[in-house]
Amino acid sequence: MKPTAAEQSLFVVILGAGKGGSALIELLTRCSGIRILGVADSNPDAPGLQLARYHYIPTTSDIAWLVARDEASLIIDVTGDPAIPSLIARHKSPKTEVLGGIAARLIWSLIQAEHEMYEHLAHAEKLSTLGIFTAGIAHEFNNPLHGIMGFSQHLQGETDPAIISEYSREIVTLTRRLSEMTKGLNLYARTGQMPEITDVQIPQLLDEAIKMAAFSTMLDEVTVVRNYAPVPDMQVNPSELHQIFVNLIINAVQAMNARGHLTLSTGVEGGYLTVTIQDTGPGIAPQDLARVFAPFFTTKERGSGTGLGLYIVRTIVNKYGGTIEPVSQSGNGTTFRIQFPLSSAA
Amino acid sequence: MALWPFGVHDREHPSLGVILVVDDEESIRKISRLTLTKAGYEVIEAENGEKAIEVLNTGENPLTVDVILCDIRMPKINGVEAIQYFRTQYPSVPIIVQTGFPDLNLATSLMKQGIVDYLVKPVEKEKLLAAVSKAAEQRTTCNT
Ligand SMILES: Nc1ncnc2c1ncn2[C@@H]1O[C@H](COP(=O)(O)OP(=O)(O)OP(=O)(O)O)[C@@H](O)[C@H]1O
Ligand SMILES: [Mg+2]
């Protein structure tokens, strides 16, 4: 009999939580059959340590202690510190293997290449979505522009101070509206290259995402229901979470043909911060449920969907240690349910 | 043609015509109202397609409205749906579309349905007045 996946599990220890360590954590947590026993770095602010905590992976600054763990099948050393190999040799259990030096550098390069590929995909997905936004963006910009143009033309030659101040106020309001929109667009279009982790209020970000989604489809016929129970702030890159919500909202609205109820909820359930996005569309066919997250899976017409939306969504959710699942019965709408471990909350 | 001052449209000084302005945005309707009334037209307003149909079906309006100036993206009944209705029910009332969508396909399909102009916002007031005056003339020719 073949051994089961659990029996085959590799228990990995990662030394070094800088760029290399973070990339390793991101990749290995996506592989089944691999468990990360712990991550060590002498710098308590190393970015990989935070990432590890999202995934409930123990972290420590005590490298010797972690190296000595008996269950470890493999130690991966990406510290680049010349003192580490001898420290490993002194403390590790005899059956633990070590990946270090040039071999670790090779792995690091492979991961780097994979990571770059993903970043390109994520960016391409954003650009393709921006493509479907352009008509909506033009519309949303042209309306206030029309107002600004109109009030300015009527200001010319106007001498009544009351009217002058009234029209100027209108122009200021319209200009503010334009600048709000460019802010929203900027949040979306920003590339993933510079991760900026900040405290993020999820309900506020959901509202931003609705505004953004309104560029791509008519939301006038969609009743938006907000069930925001108070949730703690999350420590995340807002641009990434924004991309998740925009994609899910656009999918929901597209599924409903822009007519129906869109319900957005937040809440805390048993150690998880939960966000659900629910629509009253046709639902997802049972045979498609397992495939919707696959890259390039789409049921939309050629040219209107790349099928990358949900793939990117799931990758980002997993990155923060979260899970996402569709709950759908054909004909009864779809609910996408996201759960983030509360450890990633501030 | 003389331009009557703002709001003058009694029997002795009839307005240049009655324009139904359909747009869901108050500030946009205000601009159209300013431009058109200053030029001597009388303006009635509706904030969506449904209201526009209601207004046009009220009292003497089917006879007195000379031109419809209509937005496309609006709640309830949108511009495309409203225009279809106007074209079948009131084929003699000229329609000008004034929208934020620079959409060539939409413009072509609406032109085929018989709208007289497709203006993309932002529209300068001279351009609007030229389009409206051309459309109003068409209405007069139709009626005689
Ligand atoms: N809310 C939903 N209701 C019904 N089906 C959905 C919903 N969300 C996603 N799907 C299905 O999952 C498929 C994949 O979604 P995904 O967002 O990955 O790609 P897409 O929307 O087709 O294209 P893109 O997002 O690149 O524009 C969709 O084509 C659709 O069949
Ligand atoms: Mg999608």
Side-chain angles (χ1 to χ4, degrees), chain B residues 19 21 32-41 43 128-129 132:
Chain B
I19 317 295
V21 172
S32 305
R33 186 171 70 228
L34 283 170
T35 304
L36 293 168
T37 50
K38 279 186 189 170
Y41 294 95
V43 169
L128 175 65
L129 288 174
V132 168

Side-chain angles (χ1 to χ4, degrees), chain A residues 135-136 138-140 142-156 158 166-167 170 174 177 214-221 259, chain B residues 23-28 30-32 34-36 38 71-78 81 98-103 120-126:
Chain A
H139 180 265
E140 294 303 302
N142 284 342
N143 267 311
L145 282 177
H146 182 86
I148 292 169
M149 160 95 75
F151 285 116
S152 314
Q153 285 199 308
H154 284 289
L155 266 178
Q156 286 165 19
E158 184 60 62
E166 180 192 331
Y167 293 179
E170 297 266 14
L174 291 163
R177 203 168 108 200
F215 287 136
S216 80
T217 42
M218 269 276 248
L219 289 184
D220 303 317
E221 310 280 328
R259 258 161 228 234
Chain B
D23 202 301
D24 58 330
E25 250 186 69
E26 156 64 22
S27 66
I28 305 276
K30 186 167 171 184
I31 296 288
S32 305
L34 283 170
T35 304
L36 293 168
K38 279 186 189 170
D71 186 21
I72 294 297
R73 188 165 168 168
M74 293 178 296
K76 302 270 171 70
I77 293 175
N78 68 35
E81 294 160 335
Q98 178 175 262
T99 173
F101 278 122
D103 184 334
V120 178
K121 294 170 190 166
V123 181
E124 299 194 25
K125 70 176 203 261
E126 293 73 20

Side-chain angles (χ1 to χ4, degrees), chain A residues 256 261 278-285 327-335:
Chain A
M256 297 191 287
H261 282 71
Q278 182 180 16
D279 64 58
T280 52
I284 300 174
V327 187
S328 181
Q329 292 143 350
S330 271
N332 245 333
T334 304
T335 305

Side-chain angles (χ1 to χ4, degrees), chain A residues 32-52:
Chain A
S32 57
I34 295 183
R35 265 199 49 206
I36 304 177
L37 274 183
V39 180
D41 199 302
S42 48
N43 169 14
D45 295 325
L49 295 181
Q50 165 79 298
L51 183 62

Side-chain angles (χ1 to χ4, degrees), chain A residues 126 186-192 194 196 198 200 205 236-246 316 320:
Chain A
K126 267 188 199 169
N186 206 28
L187 184 62
Y188 187 81
R190 200 176 300 163
T191 52
M194 253 197 304
E196 295 168 44
T198 49
V200 171
L205 207 60
V236 290
N237 178 344
S239 184
E240 287 181 319
L241 238 60
H242 190 246
Q243 191 178 9
I244 295 181
F245 297 151
V246 169
I316 297 173
Y320 292 108

